[in-house]
């Protein structure tokens, strides 16, 4: 039998999932369900590098799981789990801390950004976070790690640490590749078309659970461009706002840019923006309804995350045992 390639990724439950998470990540995960052996998790251990409200973190972690499933990730075919339920992440994270250099961690741009943003809480975890991320990845011996542009540097570091470890102890870790999907990769903020959609700019961010009228309002206020052309044309360099709306429309309707240009020829942005809003509302409606239904079924959610943690621990434990043996810990 042909072994499937292994794919793994995670999202931090530090904010509500939004359209950028869905179109840029989760939708692609769903499409790859049958092709790969998949592990997707809620990266809750990572979120406490920044102060969290405990009740909100707990709620968002479960909501994120319900939304993964509502987006079409079938828990029978994908291993879905909560990171803190699989203790091997923290354990391998510690080991990798000792194989990652201070200088390497100092170069991480996300550390520089986050420490500039949270000056009152530049903690050790924020600094060593890439070691935990490397552990998340290497435990499952994945072939591919689908991540956005902003996480590529962490996957690079993971590869370097894995190679260093393998150089000392033999082939313990598979060296993973970052996996950047061809289409729909980067959804930008509706009010900031030059930076990616983010919960920190809520006016430009459409959340998966948002009410249709709020979604429509955000699309009507989306930035188009500063020229006076008022024409729907794909030109990301000069019309980034329009290009972003076209990418969103294309992702949710399956239409090509040429088809979209033809559909809105002579219409102007006044017609285009609400049309994109409508298409997004209709895409998100069944997801919102299904997520609400799943979230109410606590027993089902629990059965999913328990089974997920069990499957994940089994695989993670094999790698961790090997690592412990290699570094010289006594077997118990
Ligand atoms: N660091 C990622 C982010 O902030 C989330 C994450 C944690 C992750 N562990 C991972 C992504 C492992 C891919 C693989 O977006």
């Amino acid at each position: 039998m042909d072994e499937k390639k292994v794919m793994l990724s995670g999202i931090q439950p530090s904010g509500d999932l939004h359209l950028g998470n869905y179109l840029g990540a989760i939708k692609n995960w769903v499409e790859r369900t049958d092709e790969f052996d998949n592990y997707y998790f809620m990266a809750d251990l990572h979120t406490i590098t920044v102060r969290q409200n405990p009740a909100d973190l707990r709620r968002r972690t479960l909501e994120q799981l319900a939304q993964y499933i509502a987006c079409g990730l079938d828990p029978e075919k994908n291993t879905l789990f909560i990171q803190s339920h699989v203790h091997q992440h923290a354990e391998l994270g510690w080991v990798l801390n000792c194989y990652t250099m201070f200088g390497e961690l100092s170069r991480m741009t996300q550390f520089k950004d986050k420490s500039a943003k949270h000056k009152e809480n530049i903690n050790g975890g924020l600094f060593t976070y890439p070691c935990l991320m490397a552990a998340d990845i290497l435990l499952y011996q994945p072939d591919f790690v689908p991540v956005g542009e902003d996480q590529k540097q962490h996957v690079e570091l993971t590869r370097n640490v894995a190679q260093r470890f393998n150089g000392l102890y033999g082939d313990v870790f598979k060296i993973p590749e970052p996996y950047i999907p061809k289409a729909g990769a980067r959804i930008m903020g509706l009010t900031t078309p030059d930076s990616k959609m983010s919960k920190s700019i809520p006016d430009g961010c459409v959340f998966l659970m948002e009410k249709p009228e709020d979604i429509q309002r955000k699309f009507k206020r989306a930035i188009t461009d500063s020229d006076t052309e008022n024409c729907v044309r794909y030109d990301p360099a000069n019309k980034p706002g329009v290009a972003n709306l076209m990418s969103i429309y294309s992702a949710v309707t399956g239409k090509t840019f040429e088809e979209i240009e033809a559909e809105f020829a002579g219409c102007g942005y006044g017609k285009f923006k609400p049309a994109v809003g409508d298409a997004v509302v209709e895409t998100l409606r069944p997801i919102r309804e299904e997520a609400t239904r799943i979230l109410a079924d606590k027993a089902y959610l629990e059965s999913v995350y328990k089974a997920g943690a069990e499957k994940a621990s089994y695989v993670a434990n094999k790698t961790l045992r090997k690592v412990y043996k290699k570094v010289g810990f006594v077997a118990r």
Side-chain angles (χ1 to χ4, degrees):
M1 202 178 72
D2 241 7
E3 286 272 313
K4 284 184 184 175
K5 300 260 191 210
V6 176
M7 179 89 83
L8 164 137
S9 196
I11 298 181
Q12 297 194 32
S14 51
D16 295 326
L17 290 177
H18 55 71
L19 194 63
N21 299 129
Y22 176 60
L23 297 179
I26 304 168
K27 187 164 179 275
N28 300 309
W29 300 354
V30 173
E31 284 159 11
R32 292 191 298 258
T33 292
D34 293 320
E35 194 183 344
F36 295 97
D37 184 10
N38 304 292
Y39 296 84
Y40 297 118
F41 62 97
M42 321 322 126
D44 58 348
L45 293 176
H46 284 275
T47 66
I48 63 166
T49 55
V50 173
R51 250 347 135 241
Q52 302 291 329
N53 172 308
D56 286 343
L57 176 59
R58 218 180 325 272
R59 173 183 55 76
R60 279 196 309 260
T61 304
L62 292 175
E63 283 176 1
Q64 189 171 314
L65 176 61
Q67 289 168 30
Y68 276 5
I69 302 168
C71 286
L73 268 189
D74 180 348
E76 301 286 327
K77 295 184 178 167
N78 298 275
T79 304
L80 308 181
F81 65 97
I82 297 171
Q83 184 189 24
S84 62
H85 289 181
V86 182
H87 56 78
Q88 289 83 357
H89 288 244
E91 291 179 66
L92 183 60
W94 167 251
V95 174
L96 296 182
N97 260 293
C98 304
Y99 292 82
T100 308
M101 299 303 135
F102 188 89
E104 288 177 304
L105 292 170
S106 309
R107 285 194 290 277
M108 295 295 113
T109 53
Q110 192 172 55
F111 171 71
K112 293 188 212 166
D113 292 349
K114 285 203 178 176
S115 51
K117 235 173 130 184
H118 302 276
K119 283 210 165 48
E120 70 307 332
N121 184 21
I122 305 179
N123 59 70
L126 193 65
F127 187 64
T128 61
Y129 151 124
C131 302
L132 180 60
M133 177 156 164
D136 297 340
I137 296 171
L138 297 173
L139 280 173
Y140 301 91
Q141 311 279 356
D143 297 275
F144 301 112
V145 184
V147 286
E149 230 17 79
D150 61 318
Q151 295 295 322
K152 256 169 77 177
Q153 200 185 25
H154 293 154
V155 179
E156 262 324 301
L157 179 71
T158 300
R159 288 166 56 87
N160 293 339
V161 173
Q163 272 156 350
R164 178 173 308 141
F165 197 92
N166 286 354
L168 290 166
Y169 303 107
D171 277 343
V172 177
F173 298 125
K174 178 170 264 176
I175 309 300
E177 301 279 344
Y179 186 92
I180 314 283
K182 288 161 230 99
R186 248 162 102 79
I187 301 299
M188 312 308 255
L190 299 185
T191 54
T192 52
D194 48 351
S195 62
K196 83 172 190 176
M197 185 174 281
S198 154
K199 60 174 192 295
S200 56
I201 308 174
D203 282 347
C205 181
V206 174
F207 297 97
L208 296 191
M209 300 303 274
E210 213 161 354
K211 290 208 259 345
E213 54 273 29
D214 293 340
I215 297 176
Q216 270 302 1
R217 185 174 39 81
K218 288 182 179 177
F219 276 98
K220 282 186 188 141
R221 291 191 193 156
I223 302 266
T224 40
D225 56 63
S226 47
D227 67 24
T228 49
E229 196 183 38
N230 197 21
C231 163
V232 178
R233 187 163 58 76
Y234 190 71
D235 181 359
N238 298 306
K239 296 156 75 84
V242 175
N244 186 42
L245 291 172
M246 289 179 76
S247 298
I248 293 172
Y249 193 66
S250 167
V252 297
T253 61
K255 292 177 185 168
T256 65
F257 293 141
E258 295 80 65
E259 286 168 340
I260 298 169
E261 285 171 0
E263 182 177 350
F264 294 97
C267 289
Y269 307 140
K271 272 231 168 98
F272 178 55
K273 292 200 281 185
V276 181
D278 280 338
V280 168
V281 164
E282 290 320 313
T283 299
L284 295 186
R285 188 189 305 281
I287 294 176
R288 187 183 68 238
E289 289 172 359
E290 181 67 358
T292 307
R293 195 188 63 71
I294 294 170
L295 206 55
D297 190 348
K298 292 280 180 278
Y300 170 71
L301 264 186
E302 190 178 317
S303 74
V304 169
Y305 66 67
K306 283 197 165 159
E310 199 171 316
K311 263 166 75 187
S313 314
Y314 177 78
V315 177
N317 206 43
K318 281 208 250 182
T319 302
L320 187 70
R321 290 299 133 211
K322 223 188 260 178
V323 167
Y324 275 12
K325 188 169 170 200
K326 292 286 188 184
V327 300
F329 296 162
V330 174
R332 47 166 209 194

